[in-house]
Amino acid sequence: MKMGHYLGVINRLLNGDYKNLSNNQTINIPIKEIVIDKNIQNVKFDFTEKLSNKKNIILAGKNSYQVFGDKVLSTLNNNNIDFDIKILERYESTKDFAKELALSLNNYQNVITIGSGSVIDISKFVSKINSQNLFVFCSSLSAAATTSTVSLLNNGIKESISSKIPDAIVIDLENLKNAPPRLLRSALGDVLCRSTCQVDWLTSHLLLNTEYDETPFALQYEDENFLLKNSKKILQGDYNTLAALSRMTLLNGIAAIIINSTHAGSMGEHLISHYIDMFMGDEHPNTLHGEQVGVATLIVSKIQNQIINSSSTLRFGEIDIDERTFNDLFGSDLGAKMFNQFKSKYFYGKKRDSINTLLKENWETFKTLLSKYMLPTEVIENALMECGACTTNKDLKISDKFFNQAIQNSFLLRDRFSFIDIAHYTKTIEKYFAE
């Protein structure tokens, strides 16, 4: 296979010579081709063989097509590919919309997507339903491109649905260079949660014996270090920095393929972001996912740093949680179900005594291990600030009152154990409230 100059460690994944750190088995990913290049018009794609003499449909968001469509069409024409075009003037991130769209496109063999986020999700659903090949040209950066699931609304409730993993993914660095700065800052905010995710997940492994695998994080270490030192170059259009940001975004999604879960890219910081999306309603300031995650990452990082760097032994106190807590927040129908899943990480009675014994005997060892993967909060904060990204709830235009509710209640949303849980058990959660 040809090597991509800007692919870095992704080259090894595509060539099948990267081994899982947990079991030493070779990692095989279903994505056959990934291209990150300055100008895709200069590239001869391997995947065009699958498009040749086939019935192909280009599926694109209106804005994405306006900024990136000409270049993609020119590239496909240079490769002698025929295609029809469907521009999504309006679309909904709902299962019903995606099913109706799939029905209208079921006579095509291949879907070629020009878009990001929601358009990619819809395309992945459509191609899965229709058993079509999928080739994605990313108009902006989105981890959605590489994941095996999509998030669509079903009867008003966000649902994670199995989807098609693209056969090929293409990123044009010249296009990214001209992307709105806000989108690039959001992409940075979304990927700089490596440390908070790793520390949260490893802690869950140490205390609750959940599965843990360092591999998806190890894949990101080099690019993360580069971005932390060079984030200001993102908006300067530096190709190497944009390529590092692209790789980390793709690796964030590939991580879910490797470990068959999203633990490597979605822990405490994402719970805060989820809470914002679920409960702000009409007051939501239309902030981007990565903007919210970046700010939330700083909160979780502060919690992790203060607790892990403390000289005292960690000890869990009592927290007053019962089914009524969940019913008040989520309603009685959903409350019972969510309380049931919460129980797996709820320490009370003998279970709490047991965890405190474990902590008394092992906390110093655990701290040493966790410190190895933790970043100082100011390092992450400085990288975001150098790029002009959001770092506070005020930057997000979210009130202190609501943001503090998100910090307070987000640990109730899922069964994933994070340092937000620990802040509750140590009665310190209010220390991290916005003022």
Side-chain angles (χ1 to χ4, degrees):
M1 178 178 285
K2 63 188 179 188
M3 299 285 281
H5 171 64
Y6 288 108
L7 286 181
V9 71
I10 293 176
N11 274 314
R12 294 179 60 192
L13 289 171
L14 292 171
N15 293 336
D17 65 357
Y18 195 97
K19 294 187 183 298
N20 189 298
L21 299 183
S22 294
N23 57 27
N24 205 38
Q25 297 293 308
T26 299
I27 295 172
N28 294 301
I29 61 173
I31 305 166
K32 303 305 179 188
E33 186 173 8
I34 297 176
V35 174
I36 301 174
D37 208 280
K38 285 184 184 179
N39 185 347
I40 60 170
Q41 287 175 307
N42 302 325
V43 177
K44 185 71 176 176
F45 299 108
D46 292 338
F47 67 77
T48 52
E49 293 179 6
K50 291 186 177 180
L51 300 172
S52 184
N53 300 314
K54 298 289 174 58
K55 198 164 173 55
N56 307 308
I57 181 70
I58 288 179
L59 193 60
K62 180 182 177 181
N63 293 336
S64 295
Y65 189 76
Q66 286 176 347
V67 299
F68 196 28
D70 286 347
K71 181 172 275 192
V72 175
L73 266 59
S74 174
T75 301
L76 294 173
N77 285 326
N78 289 343
N79 285 271
N80 300 311
I81 302 302
D82 296 322
F83 48 80
D84 294 329
I85 303 172
K86 184 173 182 62
I87 310 298
L88 298 177
E89 299 282 347
R90 297 183 185 85
Y91 58 87
E92 300 171 2
S93 295
T94 65
K95 193 173 182 180
D96 285 344
F97 177 87
K99 284 172 73 173
E100 187 176 331
L101 183 62
L103 186 62
S104 72
L105 301 177
N106 64 7
N107 59 324
Y108 291 95
Q109 294 162 291
N110 300 303
V111 175
I112 303 165
T113 296
I114 305 172
S116 62
S118 298
V119 172
I120 293 176
D121 273 354
I122 291 168
S123 300
K124 286 164 61 182
F125 180 90
V126 167
S127 54
K128 171 83 169 184
I129 291 289
N130 292 339
S131 299
Q132 295 156 322
N133 295 315
L134 176 62
F135 308 90
V136 173
F137 289 81
C138 297
S139 59
S140 61
L141 294 177
S142 172
T146 49
T147 58
S148 59
T149 60
V150 295
S151 184
L152 297 173
L153 287 173
N154 186 20
N155 296 321
I157 298 172
K158 192 168 277 193
E159 188 176 316
S160 183
I161 305 166
S162 176
S163 69
K164 168 78 176 176
I165 297 174
D167 297 85
I169 298 168
V170 180
I171 294 174
D172 183 290
L173 296 176
E174 280 188 359
N175 177 62
L176 277 191
K177 188 176 177 179
N178 297 315
R182 186 183 180 192
L183 293 182
L184 294 173
R185 291 171 177 141
S186 177
L188 181 68
D190 204 14
V191 300
L192 289 187
C193 62
R194 189 282 308 164
S195 63
T196 54
C197 287
Q198 188 166 9
V199 171
D200 272 353
W201 194 24
L202 180 53
T203 302
S204 181
H205 170 69
L206 295 172
L207 302 188
L208 281 77
N209 201 31
T210 51
E211 294 289 332
Y212 173 77
D213 187 344
E214 188 187 351
T215 307
F217 304 112
L219 284 164
Q220 299 178 56
Y221 292 153
E222 184 176 349
D223 284 326
E224 177 194 49
N225 188 47
F226 183 84
L227 286 173
L228 288 169
K229 294 176 179 176
N230 296 281
S231 65
K232 64 183 177 184
K233 294 182 180 179
I234 291 172
L235 299 187
Q236 295 170 5
D238 179 74
Y239 288 121
N240 288 322
T241 310
L242 290 172
L245 183 60
S246 300
R247 288 191 298 269
M248 276 203 78
T249 301
L250 296 179
L251 287 167
N252 200 279
I254 289 171
I257 299 173
I258 294 172
I259 63 175
N260 200 32
S261 83
T262 58
H263 283 79
S266 177
M267 293 298 290
E269 72 297 316
H270 273 72
L271 291 178
I272 294 173
S273 180
H274 291 331
Y275 189 95
I276 292 168
D277 291 336
M278 287 176 68
F279 291 102
M280 280 209 80
D282 293 340
E283 299 299 314
H284 197 292
N286 294 317
T287 38
L288 301 175
H289 173 77
E291 291 175 322
Q292 295 172 187
V293 170
V295 173
T297 294
L298 296 178
I299 297 296
V300 176
S301 177
K302 286 175 186 175
I303 299 172
Q304 292 175 346
N305 274 269
Q306 291 199 15
I307 291 175
I308 292 171
N309 290 330
S310 170
S311 59
S312 58
T313 298
L314 182 61
R315 181 176 176 80
F316 284 11
E318 291 184 34
I319 58 174
D320 185 19
I321 297 286
D322 58 25
E323 193 168 331
R324 286 175 299 177
T325 308
F326 286 81
N327 290 343
D328 289 345
L329 195 57
F330 305 109
S332 56
D333 290 343
L334 195 56
K337 179 182 176 182
M338 296 191 74
F339 181 57
N340 265 341
Q341 72 169 10
F342 178 81
K343 286 179 183 176
S344 66
K345 64 171 186 176
Y346 184 25
F347 295 105
Y348 60 96
K350 291 183 178 179
K351 191 176 178 183
R352 186 169 58 86
D353 293 340
S354 178
I355 206 69
N356 280 330
T357 300
L358 177 70
L359 289 168
K360 184 177 181 180
E361 295 172 353
N362 297 283
W363 181 236
E364 288 303 315
T365 302
F366 291 169
K367 279 172 58 174
T368 301
L369 179 59
L370 294 169
S371 296
K372 179 181 175 183
Y373 303 111
M374 185 172 67
L375 287 174
T377 305
E378 57 268 22
V379 171
I380 305 171
E381 186 174 34
N382 287 342
L384 291 169
M385 292 178 72
E386 287 274 294
C387 187
C390 298
T391 57
T392 69
N393 62 293
K394 293 177 178 63
D395 293 338
L396 298 174
K397 295 182 172 54
I398 295 176
S399 70
D400 289 351
K401 181 180 179 182
F402 182 86
F403 193 66
N404 292 341
Q405 287 176 10
I407 296 172
Q408 173 80 31
N409 295 328
S410 55
F411 81 121
L412 302 172
L413 296 182
R414 298 190 72 172
D415 57 358
R416 293 193 180 178
F417 184 81
S418 80
F419 267 76
I420 301 176
D421 294 86
I422 293 177
H424 277 277
Y425 283 110
T426 55
K427 312 293 185 186
T428 59
I429 191 67
E430 293 184 9
K431 283 176 57 178
Y432 308 100
F433 282 1
E435 295 179 347

